[in-house]
Amino acid sequence: MITEKIDGVSVSTQANVYFDGKCVSHSITFPDGTRKSVGVVLPATLTFNTGAPEIMECVAGSCEYRLAGSDTWHTSKAGDRFNVPGQSSFDIRVTEAYHYICHFG
Amino acid sequence: MITEKIDGVSVSTQANVYFDGKCVSHSITFPDGTRKSVGVVLPATLTFNTGAPEIMECVAGSCEYRLAGSDTWHTSKAGDRFNVPGQSSFDIRVTEAYHYICHFG
């Protein structure tokens, strides 16, 4: 099931721009204080570092990802999720735009 | 006054990607059905066409813009707004990221 919208949230108006714009996200905050972000990775191969653990949920497009310490690339498509440990990193390869929700913690 | 966040809205999780990613926005919907978008224009010179009239509100960074039929470039900075007629266009020049809220209607 694909999460097309998220209701009842506060959205930060200033975008988060990473890697010269290859990744752009907006932060959202739920009434209970939970924070997530909605974003897009444009065609590129990038490495993201994590602070908190993250769950990456694909809502459109697709990517390939490889977790730190692994040699294996996996595909993630709309409706799929993958988990990234905290204080770690992952590589991501995108050939069509990868639209995501990032859940923290 | 700068609008740093917008509360109590529904956010569309899939981004709107224009001009190969030089402009990325997310659509938001208010409880009364009003739609706006929050987005960013990265360094570039672009021409945007309007359907409905738009009010562009800068929340961070800056741009220069020129409305259709005008020779004059104006600067818009954080806290500033400019109006664009419907069924028209405007040119925008960005040298640092221009973060905006687009109000329609």
Side-chain angles (χ1 to χ4, degrees):
Chain A
M1 186 182 140
I2 294 166
T3 307
E4 295 183 354
K5 62 191 181 72
I6 301 174
D7 294 331
V9 294
S10 174
V11 59
S12 296
T13 57
Q14 183 169 350
N16 311 301
V17 178
Y18 305 103
F19 301 108
D20 287 330
K22 289 297 183 186
C23 177
V24 173
S25 73
H26 280 84
S27 301
I28 58 177
T29 307
F30 289 74
D32 69 0
T34 303
R35 295 175 66 87
K36 301 181 191 285
S37 66
V38 291
V40 61
V41 181
L42 300 169
T45 298
L46 305 170
T47 301
F48 285 93
N49 298 305
T50 60
E54 297 181 1
I55 299 169
M56 295 293 289
E57 176 183 352
C58 182
V59 296
S62 67
C63 77
E64 292 174 290
Y65 69 93
R66 182 175 61 181
L67 299 179
S70 170
D71 292 330
T72 308
W73 289 89
H74 304 273
T75 299
S76 187
K77 301 182 304 296
D80 294 343
R81 295 172 172 228
F82 64 93
N83 290 269
V84 187
Q87 307 298 328
S88 185
S89 67
F90 64 101
D91 301 320
I92 189 167
R93 284 198 298 225
V94 174
T95 54
E96 58 175 322
Y98 167 74
H99 298 258
Y100 67 85
I101 304 166
C102 179
H103 309 260
F104 298 105
Chain B
M1 186 182 141
I2 295 167
T3 307
E4 295 183 355
K5 62 192 181 73
I6 301 174
D7 294 330
V9 294
S10 175
V11 59
S12 296
T13 56
Q14 183 169 349
N16 311 301
V17 178
Y18 306 102
F19 302 108
D20 287 329
K22 289 298 182 187
C23 177
V24 173
S25 73
H26 279 85
S27 300
I28 58 177
T29 306
F30 289 72
D32 69 359
T34 302
R35 295 173 67 88
K36 300 181 192 285
S37 66
V38 290
V40 60
V41 180
L42 299 171
T45 299
L46 305 171
T47 301
F48 285 92
N49 297 305
T50 60
E54 296 180 1
I55 299 169
M56 295 291 290
E57 176 183 351
C58 182
V59 296
S62 66
C63 76
E64 293 174 291
Y65 68 92
R66 182 175 61 180
L67 299 179
S70 170
D71 292 329
T72 307
W73 289 90
H74 303 272
T75 298
S76 186
K77 302 182 305 296
D80 294 343
R81 295 171 173 228
F82 64 93
N83 290 269
V84 187
Q87 306 299 330
S88 184
S89 68
F90 64 102
D91 301 319
I92 189 167
R93 284 198 297 224
V94 174
T95 53
E96 58 175 321
Y98 167 74
H99 298 258
Y100 67 87
I101 304 167
C102 179
H103 310 261
F104 299 106

